[in-house]
Amino acid sequence: MINRKLTKLVVLLCAASLVFSFTACKEKSGGAVKATDDFFMYANGEWIKNNPIPPTESAWGSFNELHDKNRALLHRILDSASALKALPIGSSGQLIGDFYASGMDSANIEKNGISPLQPDIDQINRIHNSKDVMATIAHLQRNGIFPLFGIMVDQDAKISNEYALYASQGGLGLPSKDYYLNKDGKSDTIRKEYLAHIVKMFELMGEPADKAAQDSKKVMDIETGLAQASMSPVELRDPIASYNKMTMNEVIALAPEMDWDNYLREAGISPIKSIIVSQPLFFKKVGQDLAQVPMDDWKIYLKWHLIHNTARFLNNSFVQENFGFYGKKLSGIKELEPRWKRVQSMTDMALGDALGQEYVRIAFTSESKQKMLDMIHNLQAALKERIDHLDWMSPGTKAQANEKLKTLMVKIGYPDKWKDYAGLNIDRNAYVSNVMRSDSFEYQRNIKKLGHPVDRTEWGMTPPTINAYYNPSLNEIVFPAGILQPPFFDPKADDASNYGAIGAVIGHELTHGYDDQGRLYDAQGNLKNWWTKDDSANFVKRTQIVVHQFNHYKVDDLHVDGELTLGENIADLGGLTIAYLAYKKSQEGKKDADLAINGFTPDQRFFLGWAKVWRSHETPEALRLLIKNNPHAPSNFRVNGPLSNMPAFYKAFDVKPGDPMMAPDSLRAQIW
């Protein structure tokens, strides 16, 4: 990944940054929970009661359980690789073995301190003017550190067979603009804790306490100004608003203080004709700040983001201080993970294809791939049938929707073509240097795409990842090997359970092609309107029912944001609907289609499969972080929300009008 905070419009099955899975469930007292009252707790309450959140986690659920299982396997792979010290330079084993060994060498990390960062600190100290600021930002970005703004090469959203350079807002140490601007007591507390954290980090870098306190306020002033000019999480979901293709003359006119020519040269980017500026007002603000903020303040700001982005890879004092704020205070995690888990995760991020090759040899079978393909084809057929029978969409728009479905690309397990790491230097010396070199290598890989044909074989996740995604610019669904294991997918399980779990996940990703964002892209992946005016109005009218439904879900003092979570909620409802249809069709003519297992009918097992995928609970801090920033709703609402709209669920569990799990007719959502 070029920038761990910078992502293109890729819609995921679940969030995978600060928490892996999430829910707002609270154990009910007074006996068992009825399926008709709260299906999430009916299916998962006993599990939640018996599986407390480990002190090293912000949440615990199905994703975490499988993640731990995968980690144990990856741990064995990396231990074996790091024990072999004479592997050919540049081989997968050498790269992952030496990277992992450097991260596990705590004695060397302690001895090095921040000395590996000294060349970067020296460059920051040499800043005299705004031109130097931009050159230094380019230098840091080339090493995987993105202060002030992000830059990356990706498909041109409106010309999907060409690459373009994107510039996007960034530069904040807190999760989003609201953390800087909201006036409630909780936000005030987080800002005070953030300031104290910056102070401590500067002190660890060797600054006296009084200077560190002054410097922290200067960082906060710059970041607050950037936050005021930033888009909110809801605004960032609009791909049209974020597509602003400008000629270089227009970019220079927008923010002339940024010295774009020198910046691009220092960033290693060949002369280009245009940039897609995702947030023009933000870059206008950056230009103004470059002219107004003292150069010494920029030095302080850049040092902060250098240490902020590398603290996890430095000595224990920095690791613990970074964890104290981002882990304990923001996410509610009580204890730091063991070093091997942290280094293993970083090895996957830095060398995902090298590690992935070793992983899939052990963890993924051709049988799993074939069964997944069969299910996907069944789900595609079910979605086509749903589209063909929609009573709110015109024939012309249906034809284009079906064309998009027909041209969909499916990726399962691992890439057909592995990434080449030739030229990447990984050794057993400084861990943070290995991290920065791998980031620099991926930065160069990304930048070199300019002017070349779009690589449609590329993956946005590593094979061990427990997640899935839909990419509208490639019109593809992707299922890494990591998620194709129980409880999501079990080749030996009954069809009802598999269709309710991985089948609904497949349906979820398919539906993302037609959610409020995905529907704005055509069959070739271009940001292009292929809807009639009436069809678009009908779609929006139906989605507002979903927005209304989720706006009413509340956890403590926070409401779920129905606009922020709309795309995922549409995908959950559509995914379940077409998975159920595909399941029923797959059972036609089968003798055991109505066979009960463990007292549950096939339809009941289907819906239980969905609920168990999302079983989880989290710390209050992680839940707050999720609701304020994440496009996924808490897991109990992801289970109960779509089910409360489905007549098939009512029938399976004898849900009656007036039961909490049945939405009234007037408020019942149905889109795909």
Side-chain angles (χ1 to χ4, degrees), residues 8 66 89 106 150 236 313 317 377 417:
K8 58 187 177 182
L66 183 51
I89 298 299
S106 57
L236 288 170
F313 319 120
S317 296
H377 293 152
K417 181 178 70 176

PDB file of all heavy atoms in Angstrom, residues 8 66 89 106 150 236 313 317 377 417:
ATOM      1  N   LYS A   8      -8.432   4.211  -2.327  1.00  0.00           N
ATOM      2  CA  LYS A   8      -9.345   4.543  -3.409  1.00  0.00           C
ATOM      3  C   LYS A   8     -10.739   4.082  -3.028  1.00  0.00           C
ATOM      4  O   LYS A   8     -10.958   3.486  -1.982  1.00  0.00           O
ATOM      5  CB  LYS A   8      -8.872   3.876  -4.697  1.00  0.00           C
ATOM      6  CG  LYS A   8      -8.746   2.365  -4.628  1.00  0.00           C
ATOM      7  CD  LYS A   8      -8.114   1.834  -5.888  1.00  0.00           C
ATOM      8  CE  LYS A   8      -7.908   0.322  -5.793  1.00  0.00           C
ATOM      9  NZ  LYS A   8      -7.259  -0.225  -6.982  1.00  0.00           N
ATOM     10  N   LEU A  66     -10.979 -15.970  13.405  1.00  0.00           N
ATOM     11  CA  LEU A  66     -10.306 -16.470  12.215  1.00  0.00           C
ATOM     12  C   LEU A  66      -8.961 -15.775  12.019  1.00  0.00           C
ATOM     13  O   LEU A  66      -7.985 -16.399  11.579  1.00  0.00           O
ATOM     14  CB  LEU A  66     -11.204 -16.277  10.985  1.00  0.00           C
ATOM     15  CG  LEU A  66     -10.662 -16.810   9.657  1.00  0.00           C
ATOM     16  CD1 LEU A  66     -10.198 -18.256   9.773  1.00  0.00           C
ATOM     17  CD2 LEU A  66     -11.729 -16.684   8.565  1.00  0.00           C
ATOM     18  N   ILE A  89      19.283 -13.935  -1.913  1.00  0.00           N
ATOM     19  CA  ILE A  89      18.841 -12.549  -1.748  1.00  0.00           C
ATOM     20  C   ILE A  89      17.721 -12.257  -2.739  1.00  0.00           C
ATOM     21  O   ILE A  89      17.832 -12.537  -3.936  1.00  0.00           O
ATOM     22  CB  ILE A  89      20.010 -11.570  -1.980  1.00  0.00           C
ATOM     23  CG1 ILE A  89      21.114 -11.823  -0.950  1.00  0.00           C
ATOM     24  CG2 ILE A  89      19.526 -10.124  -1.899  1.00  0.00           C
ATOM     25  CD1 ILE A  89      20.694 -11.617   0.476  1.00  0.00           C
ATOM     26  N   SER A 106      14.379  -7.007  19.354  1.00  0.00           N
ATOM     27  CA  SER A 106      14.077  -5.877  20.240  1.00  0.00           C
ATOM     28  C   SER A 106      15.344  -5.226  20.779  1.00  0.00           C
ATOM     29  O   SER A 106      15.379  -4.003  20.983  1.00  0.00           O
ATOM     30  CB  SER A 106      13.182  -6.335  21.395  1.00  0.00           C
ATOM     31  OG  SER A 106      13.787  -7.386  22.113  1.00  0.00           O
ATOM     32  N   GLY A 150      -2.166  13.457   0.606  1.00  0.00           N
ATOM     33  CA  GLY A 150      -1.799  12.184   0.000  1.00  0.00           C
ATOM     34  C   GLY A 150      -1.658  12.310  -1.500  1.00  0.00           C
ATOM     35  O   GLY A 150      -2.270  13.173  -2.133  1.00  0.00           O
ATOM     36  N   LEU A 236     -16.948  12.370   1.946  1.00  0.00           N
ATOM     37  CA  LEU A 236     -15.945  11.589   1.226  1.00  0.00           C
ATOM     38  C   LEU A 236     -16.549  10.411   0.472  1.00  0.00           C
ATOM     39  O   LEU A 236     -15.900   9.837  -0.403  1.00  0.00           O
ATOM     40  CB  LEU A 236     -14.875  11.077   2.201  1.00  0.00           C
ATOM     41  CG  LEU A 236     -13.907  12.126   2.742  1.00  0.00           C
ATOM     42  CD1 LEU A 236     -13.063  11.530   3.871  1.00  0.00           C
ATOM     43  CD2 LEU A 236     -12.998  12.646   1.633  1.00  0.00           C
ATOM     44  N   PHE A 313       7.410   1.263  15.091  1.00  0.00           N
ATOM     45  CA  PHE A 313       8.557   0.462  14.656  1.00  0.00           C
ATOM     46  C   PHE A 313       9.844   0.858  15.378  1.00  0.00           C
ATOM     47  O   PHE A 313      10.924   0.402  15.015  1.00  0.00           O
ATOM     48  CB  PHE A 313       8.742   0.618  13.140  1.00  0.00           C
ATOM     49  CG  PHE A 313       7.448   0.609  12.381  1.00  0.00           C
ATOM     50  CD1 PHE A 313       7.065   1.699  11.613  1.00  0.00           C
ATOM     51  CD2 PHE A 313       6.597  -0.479  12.461  1.00  0.00           C
ATOM     52  CE1 PHE A 313       5.858   1.700  10.932  1.00  0.00           C
ATOM     53  CE2 PHE A 313       5.384  -0.494  11.781  1.00  0.00           C
ATOM     54  CZ  PHE A 313       5.010   0.606  11.015  1.00  0.00           C
ATOM     55  N   SER A 317       9.748   2.791  24.290  1.00  0.00           N
ATOM     56  CA  SER A 317       9.141   4.021  24.811  1.00  0.00           C
ATOM     57  C   SER A 317       8.180   4.626  23.795  1.00  0.00           C
ATOM     58  O   SER A 317       7.073   5.065  24.144  1.00  0.00           O
ATOM     59  CB  SER A 317      10.232   5.032  25.173  1.00  0.00           C
ATOM     60  OG  SER A 317      11.038   4.541  26.209  1.00  0.00           O
ATOM     61  N   HIS A 377     -21.486 -17.942  -9.323  1.00  0.00           N
ATOM     62  CA  HIS A 377     -22.314 -18.021 -10.532  1.00  0.00           C
ATOM     63  C   HIS A 377     -23.791 -18.111 -10.174  1.00  0.00           C
ATOM     64  O   HIS A 377     -24.646 -17.505 -10.845  1.00  0.00           O
ATOM     65  CB  HIS A 377     -21.885 -19.233 -11.368  1.00  0.00           C
ATOM     66  CG  HIS A 377     -20.507 -19.094 -11.943  1.00  0.00           C
ATOM     67  ND1 HIS A 377     -19.699 -20.170 -12.228  1.00  0.00           N
ATOM     68  CD2 HIS A 377     -19.774 -17.990 -12.267  1.00  0.00           C
ATOM     69  CE1 HIS A 377     -18.545 -19.745 -12.704  1.00  0.00           C
ATOM     70  NE2 HIS A 377     -18.570 -18.428 -12.729  1.00  0.00           N
ATOM     71  N   LYS A 417      -0.968 -13.419 -10.932  1.00  0.00           N
ATOM     72  CA  LYS A 417       0.390 -12.917 -11.135  1.00  0.00           C
ATOM     73  C   LYS A 417       0.864 -12.267  -9.843  1.00  0.00           C
ATOM     74  O   LYS A 417       0.290 -11.287  -9.382  1.00  0.00           O
ATOM     75  CB  LYS A 417       0.395 -11.885 -12.280  1.00  0.00           C
ATOM     76  CG  LYS A 417       1.767 -11.307 -12.583  1.00  0.00           C
ATOM     77  CD  LYS A 417       1.706 -10.335 -13.769  1.00  0.00           C
ATOM     78  CE  LYS A 417       0.970  -9.065 -13.428  1.00  0.00           C
ATOM     79  NZ  LYS A 417       0.986  -8.073 -14.525  1.00  0.00           N
TER      80      LYS A 417
END
